[in-house]
Amino acid sequence: MSTSPIPEIQTHVDAGVMTLTLNRLERKNSITADMYGAMADALESANHDTAVRVVVIQGHETIFSAGNDIGDFLNRPPATPDAPVFRFLRGISSFPKPIVASVCGPAVGIGTTLLLHCDLVYAGDNAAFSMPFVNLGLCPEAGSSFLAPLLMGHARAAEALLLGEPFLAEAALEMGLANRIVPPAEANALAQRQALKLAAKPLSALMETKRLMKKGNAAMVAERIAEEAVSFGRMLQEPASREAFTAFMEKRKPDFSGL
Ligand code: COA
C-alpha cells in the first residue's frame, strides 16, 4: 500500500515492511524540511502500526542523498527542537524496530549519518560516503560526533569529519558501517529480501534484541544529538556557513579567509 504525503518521499507498506524511498532526483535526493517531516511522520506511524515490522530506507541506484537541501539551510534553517530535521533524528535514533538501508552513489552529510542509526546497510559498489560538515562551516549532527569515532576509531573519523574526505563502499564494509557490497542495480532488492526475512521473525524478539544491543549508548546518543543540534543551529547563522552555502549556490569555491 502506498501512502506518500509528498512525492519526494515515497512510502510503501507491504508484507510487514515499510519502504521509504528518497525521490528528488533532480536535486540529487537532497532533503528539505518537508521531506524530514514526512520521514519523521512515517517513522512515527511505523512505530505504532502493528502491521509494520521493519523499515527500509532507500534512494536511487545513482544517488542515495546529497544531504540537507542547501537552499533550505539558507532560507529555512531549523531553529527549534521541534524542527522537522530534529524530529526525524529523534525518531530514527530511537526507532525500536529494525531499519535496513540500501545506499548507492553519494551519501552526503545526513545521507551518511542517518546510516549510523540503521541496523543493516547494503551498499552499491558506487557508494561514496561523506560528512563534510566542517567544509560547510558546521559541526556533525545525528550523533555522528560520538558514533563515527566509536565505529571507525578517532583517526579515520578525523579524516571523515575534520577533513571531510569521502570514503568508499569497501572502507564502509571494512569498518562495519555496511554489511555487504553489491552492484547498484541489486542493492534495493537485497535490502527488501533481508527486510522480508526480518519481518518473518517474532517482532517482540527483534525489538527486545535491538533495545538490548543499543542500550549501552542510547542515553549518550540522545544527549549528543541534542548538544550537536544546539551548536549546529548556532553555526547555521554564522559567517562561515553562510559563505559556504552562498558559494555552493553560486557554483564557486568558498572563501574562508578571515573566518
Ligand atoms: N542542496 C540543494 N541542491 C543540491 C544539493 C543540495 N544538498 N546537492 C545537489 N543539488 C543540486 C545542484 O545544485 C544541481 O542543481 P542545478 O541542476 O540547478 O545546477 C543539481 O542538484 C545536480 O547536482 P550536481 O552537483 O550537478 O550533481 P553531481 O552529480 O555533479 O554531484 C553531489 C552530486 C551529491 C556530489 C553534489 O551535488 C554535491 O556535492 N552536493 C552538495 C552536497 C552537500 O554539501 N550537502 C550538504 C551536506 S550537510
Side-chain angles (χ1 to χ4, degrees):
M1 186 184 57
S2 290
T3 51
S4 303
I6 55 171
E8 294 87 355
I9 298 294
Q10 304 277 331
T11 309
H12 180 79
V13 179
D14 189 31
V17 178
M18 175 185 276
T19 302
L20 301 181
T21 306
L22 295 162
N23 180 40
R24 194 181 181 227
L25 280 179
E26 72 287 0
R27 282 281 174 272
K28 299 287 165 182
N29 282 349
S30 55
I31 307 177
T32 61
D34 291 345
M35 291 165 72
Y36 286 120
M39 290 194 290
D41 291 346
L43 287 178
E44 206 174 303
S45 116
N47 189 354
H48 295 114
D49 185 349
T50 49
V52 176
R53 303 161 77 85
V54 182
V55 168
V56 171
I57 302 178
Q58 64 184 21
H60 186 260
E61 63 186 64
T62 59
I63 176 90
F64 182 62
S65 173
N68 205 103
D69 181 281
I70 288 183
D72 259 19
F73 266 160
L74 270 173
N75 304 321
R76 294 200 290 172
T80 57
D82 62 351
V85 61
F86 299 134
R87 264 197 327 115
F88 169 68
L89 288 180
R90 283 194 298 274
I92 193 170
S93 61
S94 63
F95 193 70
K97 301 175 186 177
I99 307 178
V100 181
S102 163
V103 185
C104 299
V108 187
I110 199 159
T112 287
T113 60
L114 74 78
L115 302 173
L116 297 166
H117 303 285
C118 295
D119 300 292
L120 299 173
V121 176
Y122 296 103
D125 57 21
N126 60 347
F129 305 84
S130 60
M131 299 182 279
F133 302 111
V134 164
N135 300 347
L136 294 167
L138 296 169
C139 67
E141 36 73 315
S144 56
S145 64
F146 172 62
L147 291 170
L150 192 67
L151 180 72
M152 53 183 92
H154 184 86
R156 282 190 297 187
E159 276 187 341
L161 286 171
L162 296 180
L163 280 175
E165 289 192 342
F167 53 95
L168 302 179
E170 287 291 344
L173 181 70
E174 191 256 321
M175 66 179 66
L177 179 64
N179 291 79
R180 210 184 297 176
I181 302 173
V182 293
E186 294 172 21
N188 287 359
L190 173 60
Q192 281 296 324
R193 284 201 302 280
Q194 299 299 77
L196 286 170
K197 278 191 215 165
L198 287 168
K201 297 182 189 296
L203 182 58
S204 57
L206 287 172
M207 289 174 64
E208 186 61 4
T209 302
K210 176 165 175 171
R211 185 187 74 77
L212 289 164
M213 286 170 72
K214 300 209 117 189
K215 182 178 162 70
N217 292 326
M220 178 60 109
V221 168
E223 185 188 314
R224 187 63 62 88
I225 288 175
E227 183 174 350
E228 289 169 346
V230 172
S231 301
F232 199 94
R234 173 175 47 77
M235 295 173 92
L236 278 173
Q237 309 292 341
E238 291 178 350
S241 66
R242 311 306 284 182
E243 165 58 13
F245 305 148
T246 308
F248 180 81
M249 304 300 257
E250 293 174 356
K251 298 190 187 295
R252 62 170 172 82
K253 274 193 170 6
D255 177 4
F256 295 127
S257 52
L259 296 174

